């Protein structure tokens, strides 16, 4: 199935699940304590820097690449 074949709700669900999976890989296991993994901290800092420089997100093409849905 290609992205063009998805409904808006299906695409939203795909994105939501992908984000949840990515966060699950970056956040610590609750049994390990309350620290945040360094990779996640770095990614948050990079997002903050991009926002400060005026960037408000990524292109649709980049989002597709990150989701493994490259054209």
């Amino acid at each position: 199935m290609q992205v063009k074949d998805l409904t808006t709700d299906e695409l939203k669900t795909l994105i939501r699940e992908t984000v949840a999976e990515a966060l699950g890989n970056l956040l610590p296991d609750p049994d390990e304590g309350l620290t945040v993994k360094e990779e996640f901290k770095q990614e948050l800092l990079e997002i903050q820097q991009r926002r400060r420089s005026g960037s408000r997100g990524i292109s649709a093409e980049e989002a597709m690449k990150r989701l493994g849905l490259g054209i």
Side-chain angles (χ1 to χ4, degrees), residues 1-15 64 67 69:
M1 178 179 283
Q2 295 185 357
V3 173
K4 68 177 184 150
D5 299 326
L6 297 175
T7 66
T8 301
D9 287 336
E10 290 171 330
L11 180 58
K12 286 179 181 179
T13 299
L14 175 62
I15 292 169
M64 302 251 316
L67 291 171
L69 303 171

Side-chain angles (χ1 to χ4, degrees), residues 23-37:
L23 288 174
N25 291 333
L26 292 171
L27 294 173
D29 182 336
D31 294 333
E32 289 182 30
L34 299 177
T35 59
V36 176
K37 290 183 179 179

Side-chain angles (χ1 to χ4, degrees), residues 27-59:
L27 294 173
D29 182 336
D31 294 333
E32 289 182 30
L34 299 177
T35 59
V36 176
K37 290 183 179 179
E38 191 59 38
E39 301 91 32
F40 188 61
K41 282 184 195 177
Q42 186 60 38
E43 183 144 351
L44 290 175
L45 289 171
E46 289 170 9
I47 291 168
Q48 183 180 43
Q49 289 172 345
R50 285 194 304 269
R51 288 194 171 266
R52 285 183 179 158
S53 70
S55 176
R56 290 292 176 200
I58 61 173
S59 68

